[in-house]
Structures are given as structure tokens and as C-alpha cells.
Amino acid sequence: MRLGVLDVGSNTVHLLVVDAHRGAPPLPAYSHKAELRLAEHLDKEGKIADSGSDGLVAFIKEASELAEDKGCESVLAFATSALREAPNGEKVLDRVRKQTEIDLQVLTGEDEARLTFLAVRRWFGWSSGRLAVFDIGGGSLEIAAGSDEEPTVAVSVPLGAGRLTREGLSADPPDKDEVRALRKRIRIEMAAVAGIVLRAGKPQRAVATSKTFRSLARICGAAPSDDGPYVPRGLDRDDLADWMPKLTKMSAAERADLPGVSAGRSPQLLAGALVADAVMDLFDLPALEVCPWALREGVILSRLDQLEPR
């Protein structure tokens, strides 16, 4: 069957069309996305401004038409932290529903962590043993760990790369005192959940997903995306440590010149690197493997699991 997956994130709104059936990996057939940056279209009260909801409605209308053109049987539409946290999130969802006939389902942070974990488990398989999965989004960091397809623990921490950049880094290049304060904040908030995750035991395999981790891995020498999804990629803690002093001195424009870093994502890269560095330090991980599957694939796989076997 052909499915459309509409992912409304804090940074990007993405339509992914896949060919999928139970027992087989979903195969991408078409992709369309825009860096809407919904979390940046906020008023003084934290509500999503008209500019943000206007852009969201326009994209979803376009995506709905594209999904129909590509022959999708259905569209799985979901939203994450930007709409989850906005005081007027329900109002925006209602507007989307009325003007596009798309019913966006808002995932909890725990749901994000759980579904991403499912995708990573299916990608690497049972031989991975106890998995720990880390996903840096625009608004939050999701962490999940366990030995089954359902994680033993799934948590969401407000340490997204976009959020941290907006709230902690005002200068470009960044001010060293701001960087130090942000690093301290990240480590305090992450340490508060590290014990919960590690209580059941140290992971046998530690995995990272998300664009931020992929960009950092590419900077540190991982294969480019053009080499395909099956090339092993990873992020080494020592390599990232070597890059941290350089990243803290670069402007956003200079970071955009690095391999695997887009101009739209470059302002957030330093905050993401600070989170990644804290993950590997506080969880005592020498490296993270990078998984090409993440939340979207988890949503697809969960939906397929609910279908009656043929």
C-alpha cells in the first residue's frame, strides 16, 4: 500500500510518501518538505502567530494534494513539540482540520521516544540487545531504552536544538559566557533523567537519530547521504570533542559551509553539538551509531502493525 506521512515538527514540515506492507521495510517514493520553523512564529505569550498558522495551512493543503497525486491510500499526519506546547495549539489544529480536512494528531514526548525506538529496533534487529536511542529535535530531546520493541523507559527533555538556540544563544558568533551557561543548563537537565534511563542497565548498543546527529556525524567524517542509507555511520565522542572549540567560534554562515550542514540548520548546530556531547559524556558512551530511520518510520511501522495480516 502507498502511505503518506505528514510530519509537522518545530523546524520542518515534511511529507514522505512510502510504499509499505507488513513484514517489509517502508520504501520512500517521494519527499516534499519546507523549513517552516513553526517554533519561531510565536508571539510574546508563546502562542503560534497568524504567520505560522497561515504557513502551516498552506503547506498542508499542498501536501494533501501531492499525496493524492502520488496515489496515497491514506495520510498519517502528526505534530510534535511546537503544537504540543503552544497555548493556542488546539485552535491551530482546529483551523487545520477545517481548512484542509487533515486531522493532525499531536504526539506526546513519550510517544515520540517510543515510536523512534521502534524504528531503530526494527532497523538494527534483535541482535542489538539492550538499546538506547537518542533523538535531538527542534524543541526536545527524546531518549528511550530497552530490550524489546517497547522501550522500558521513554522520556522527553526540553533540550531541542532550536529551543536552546532561541533561549540561550543570542550572538553570532556565540558569546563564550552564553555557551558556558547553555552547556551547564543542558547537563543539569540531562543528568536529571540519566539515572532513570541507566537504572535498568547500560545499553549494549547506543544509537542516534535526527538531522542534528547526522550533520554532526558528517562533520566528523561519516559518509555523505548520497552514499545511501545502508552505509554504517557513527559519531565518535573524541571526534566531536575535537570539533567543539571550532564550532563555538564559528558564525552560522561558517557552519553552513561545513559538509552536511544546511543554511537553515546551521544556527542550531552548536546547541545540538552541546546536547550530543552531553549525551555521550553523561551516559558514558564512546560513540553513537547513526540510524537512518526515526520518528516517521516508527509511525509507519506502528500503523502497519495494526493492519490485519493478509
Side-chain angles (χ1 to χ4, degrees), residues 158-159 163-164 167 181-189:
L159 295 177
R163 180 199 301 273
L164 294 174
E167 296 177 357
L182 186 59
R183 182 181 185 275
K184 180 179 179 180
R185 168 186 168 181
I186 290 168
R187 286 169 178 262
I188 289 173
E189 293 194 36

Side-chain angles (χ1 to χ4, degrees), residues 103-237:
D103 188 12
L104 278 175
Q105 300 298 310
V106 179
L107 301 179
T108 67
E110 290 73 19
D111 283 340
E112 287 188 58
R114 179 179 58 81
L115 290 165
T116 302
F117 184 90
L118 172 64
V120 174
R121 170 62 76 190
R122 294 280 177 90
W123 180 269
F124 285 112
W126 293 110
S127 63
S128 298
R130 179 172 173 79
L131 273 174
V133 177
F134 304 89
D135 187 312
I136 302 173
S140 57
L141 165 72
E142 274 65 54
I143 306 172
S147 300
D148 301 323
E149 288 203 332
E150 281 287 330
T152 305
V153 57
V155 297
S156 180
V157 193
L159 295 177
R163 180 199 301 273
L164 294 174
T165 301
R166 290 191 306 274
E167 296 177 357
L169 299 174
S170 61
D172 184 30
D175 178 81
K176 63 180 182 180
D177 290 334
E178 285 189 334
V179 173
R180 187 181 300 112
L182 186 59
R183 182 181 185 275
K184 180 179 179 180
R185 168 186 168 181
I186 290 168
R187 286 169 178 262
I188 289 173
E189 293 194 36
M190 197 175 300
V193 300
I196 299 172
V197 177
L198 292 171
R199 191 167 294 137
K202 190 170 181 178
Q204 295 167 282
R205 193 167 207 158
V207 179
T209 70
S210 79
K211 178 65 174 176
T212 296
F213 274 120
R214 291 197 301 272
S215 295
L216 292 170
R218 180 73 183 97
I219 291 170
C220 292
S225 58
D226 289 347
D227 285 2
Y230 299 107
V231 176
R233 294 176 176 87
L235 177 62
D236 187 89
R237 179 176 167 185

Side-chain angles (χ1 to χ4, degrees), residues 123 199 226 238 250-251 258 292:
W123 180 269
R199 191 167 294 137
D226 289 347
D238 290 339
M250 287 182 172
S251 66
L258 296 172

Side-chain angles (χ1 to χ4, degrees), residues 33-113:
K33 58 185 175 181
E35 290 189 349
L36 186 58
R37 302 198 175 281
L38 201 58
E40 296 180 6
H41 292 269
L42 304 177
D43 62 19
K44 295 179 180 180
E45 298 176 346
K47 295 180 180 179
I48 296 174
D50 289 343
S51 59
S53 58
D54 290 346
L56 179 60
V57 167
F59 183 91
I60 291 179
K61 283 181 178 179
E62 181 184 17
S64 182
E65 292 172 359
L66 287 169
E68 183 176 331
D69 289 344
K70 299 300 179 183
C72 294
E73 293 184 26
S74 60
V75 175
L76 309 176
F78 65 92
T80 55
S81 62
L83 277 169
R84 183 169 67 232
E85 297 176 6
N88 64 333
E90 284 297 330
K91 183 177 179 180
V92 175
L93 290 170
D94 187 56
R95 181 185 172 190
V96 169
R97 192 178 302 113
K98 290 178 178 178
Q99 296 187 13
T100 70
E101 298 184 353
I102 294 291
D103 188 12
L104 278 175
Q105 300 298 310
V106 179
L107 301 179
T108 67
E110 290 73 19
D111 283 340
E112 287 188 58

